[in-house]
Amino acid sequence: MKAKRIYNFNPGPAALPLTVLEEVQENFLDFRGSGMSITEISHRSRQFDDVVNDAVARTKRLLGLSDNFEVLFIQGGASLQFCMIPMNFLAPGKSADYVDTGTWSTKAIKEAQLQDKSIAVVASSEDKNYSYIPKNISFNDDAAFVHLTSNNTIKGTQWAEFPDTKGVPIICDMSSDIMSRPLEVNRFGMIYAGAQKNIGPAGACLVIIRKDLLDWIPDTVPTMLKYSTFAAKNSMYNTPPCFAVYTVQLMLKWLEETIGGLQEMAAINQEKAQLLYGYMDGSDYYRATAEADSRSPMNVTFRLPSEDLEKQFVEQALASDLGGLKGHRSVGGCRASIYNAITLEAVQALVDFMKAFEKENG
Ligand SMILES: Cc1ncc(COP(=O)(O)O)c(C=O)c1O
């Protein structure tokens, strides 16, 4: 029987390409001739070694990473990274700059403050409810790193370009736009992303780290909270989230082999975003909430004329097989998450529905 599939605009966990899911399904009972499922094989097996090594190699190729970087998979989501970053990189005497673009960067700041680390919040867009990305920021020359959130999943904002930090390495939470566009990787000391939005299922956080930063880590950091522990053991000091890493590997293969790389992925993502924002800009009914130059091509946040209509919109959309359009509970409104796996066809179906809804209720 053919599975029912809807257009899934969930913010995370989020849609994966159908071909990736089918590949998981096809190999689920017998993983690469082992007679066991990927959920049953040993993480010390040759088969799983190949999975991790391939995921690392694909990450490096897709992003153009040199051997100066380690690619790691760590459990605990992006939220654990908020805590590990200051723990590993802010030994006494070191300070870091943080930019607060809402929710996730606010949480990252809180985790550093909880540990009594020396940090400066050098810019914030709180004054306008985090609807924009701050400009003209003065960073501290002696900062050990600058922490940014590249894409605010909830407010629908994205750094279109990363700020000039005058050589200070950027540590960036890319949970909701990792692998959605090419990057100038040499500007980053570390990039991290919970996999469950753009590159796989929940359970693994991708951490890309410049090797020299590993030398900053105090010995006193507990073993499982040290990046060096994961780097020394190819992410397998203890049992890794095997199924999640495997699915990430398939997603990276899809990005490389089906899409053709990040340049191509970015062009597709731009086309989808333009279709949706373009339609809303021409409508008096829907209002995109992020300022125009800060709009995220990944999470498109918008309002309708009333909360009642927003509720009806989300319900009727779901009845038309368009799911996940409710805004985050902290902000209300609507949100369409149009990550890498969302097709242009899905965005067109959403725009068609929006037009019909406006006609009926406008
Ligand atoms: C930008 C960003 N950072 C961090 C998180 C938290 O991720 P996790 O649930 O993996 O801890 C999210 C989750 O939605 C997010 O969107």
Side-chain angles (χ1 to χ4, degrees):
M1 201 175 76
K2 199 167 180 292
K4 173 186 162 142
R5 302 280 303 162
I6 70 167
Y7 292 123
N8 175 2
F9 299 98
N10 270 324
L16 291 171
L18 185 58
T19 52
V20 167
L21 294 174
E22 283 170 346
E23 197 168 344
V24 171
Q25 185 181 43
E26 198 182 303
N27 296 309
F28 196 67
L29 296 182
D30 176 9
F31 184 68
R32 300 187 184 163
S34 66
M36 294 176 278
S37 168
I38 179 70
T39 58
E40 299 173 310
I41 64 168
S42 166
H43 61 291
R44 306 283 175 213
S45 62
R46 183 185 44 78
Q47 287 99 334
F48 191 70
D49 237 6
D50 289 348
V51 168
V52 175
N53 291 337
D54 191 61
V56 169
R58 288 186 189 278
T59 300
K60 287 188 164 178
R61 278 201 300 272
L62 279 160
L63 288 169
L65 295 169
S66 69
D67 282 338
N68 283 344
F69 289 89
E70 293 280 357
V71 176
L72 312 174
F73 295 97
I74 301 180
Q75 303 195 48
S79 300
L80 183 64
Q81 298 307 308
F82 300 160
C83 144
M84 279 174 74
I85 289 162
M87 194 178 263
N88 280 258
F89 303 135
L90 291 180
K94 281 194 169 152
S95 177
D97 287 353
Y98 277 67
V99 178
D100 184 11
T101 49
T103 323
W104 306 109
S105 27
T106 313
K107 288 191 178 188
I109 290 165
K110 183 178 154 210
E111 291 301 308
Q113 288 169 337
L114 271 175
Q115 297 175 58
D116 252 341
K117 299 292 184 183
S118 166
I119 64 158
V121 179
V122 289
S124 165
S125 49
E126 191 182 4
D127 59 335
K128 288 195 191 162
N129 201 16
Y130 299 111
S131 59
Y132 71 101
I133 296 293
K135 292 189 191 71
N136 306 321
I137 304 168
S138 295
F139 294 101
N140 291 301
D141 298 336
D142 58 352
F145 63 84
V146 170
H147 183 276
L148 304 174
T149 310
S150 58
N151 186 82
N152 184 323
T153 325
I154 293 177
K155 306 287 184 178
T157 58
Q158 187 195 52
W159 292 85
E161 278 173 33
F162 291 98
D164 182 2
T165 57
K166 308 265 181 327
V168 175
I170 300 173
I171 292 191
C172 194
D173 175 1
M174 293 197 189
S175 293
S176 47
D177 64 358
I178 185 83
M179 303 284 179
S180 68
R181 54 178 171 169
L183 293 173
E184 239 184 283
V185 281
N186 290 329
R187 304 196 46 208
F188 296 88
M190 182 178 139
I191 293 167
Y192 62 102
Q196 67 271 19
K197 297 166 195 304
N198 248 334
I199 51 164
C205 185
L206 174 68
V207 175
I208 297 162
I209 186 163
R210 217 174 67 194
K211 283 181 181 163
D212 58 291
L213 268 69
L214 297 173
D215 299 336
W216 302 5
I217 305 170
D219 291 341
T220 49
V221 173
T223 309
M224 277 302 287
L225 297 174
K226 267 192 180 110
Y227 292 112
S228 40
T229 302
F230 292 85
K233 299 285 180 188
N234 200 20
S235 302
M236 290 184 279
Y237 171 77
N238 73 331
T239 318
C242 300
F243 182 72
V245 174
Y246 164 61
T247 313
V248 169
Q249 183 235 337
L250 294 183
M251 190 62 195
L252 298 172
K253 184 169 103 169
W254 174 83
L255 272 165
E256 266 198 304
E257 295 177 10
T258 306
I259 298 298
L262 298 190
Q263 204 86 45
E264 289 78 2
M265 193 69 254
I268 296 169
N269 285 333
Q270 279 308 327
E271 197 180 354
K272 291 183 298 185
Q274 266 157 24
L275 177 61
L276 192 45
Y277 284 117
Y279 166 64
M280 282 197 283
D281 286 344
S283 145
D284 295 330
Y285 195 71
Y286 299 98
R287 180 177 59 83
T289 57
E291 290 190 9
D293 64 357
S294 303
R295 286 173 171 176
S296 164
M298 299 279 100
N299 307 99
V300 180
T301 48
F302 57 97
R303 305 295 314 224
L304 275 72
S306 72
E307 284 185 17
D308 247 9
L309 284 165
E310 284 164 350
K311 194 164 171 272
Q312 282 178 47
F313 176 85
V314 171
E315 281 168 11
Q316 287 183 27
L318 185 58
S320 302
D321 288 344
L322 300 155
L325 291 165
K326 194 167 183 292
H328 190 267
R329 60 192 180 283
S330 64
V331 291
C334 299
R335 167 176 57 178
S337 297
I338 52 174
Y339 299 125
N340 286 347
I342 301 293
T343 58
L344 185 63
E345 178 203 345
V347 178
Q348 186 61 58
L350 173 59
V351 169
D352 291 345
F353 173 81
M354 289 167 84
K355 284 182 188 161
F357 188 87
E358 175 177 357
K359 207 162 162 204
E360 213 164 286
N361 301 280

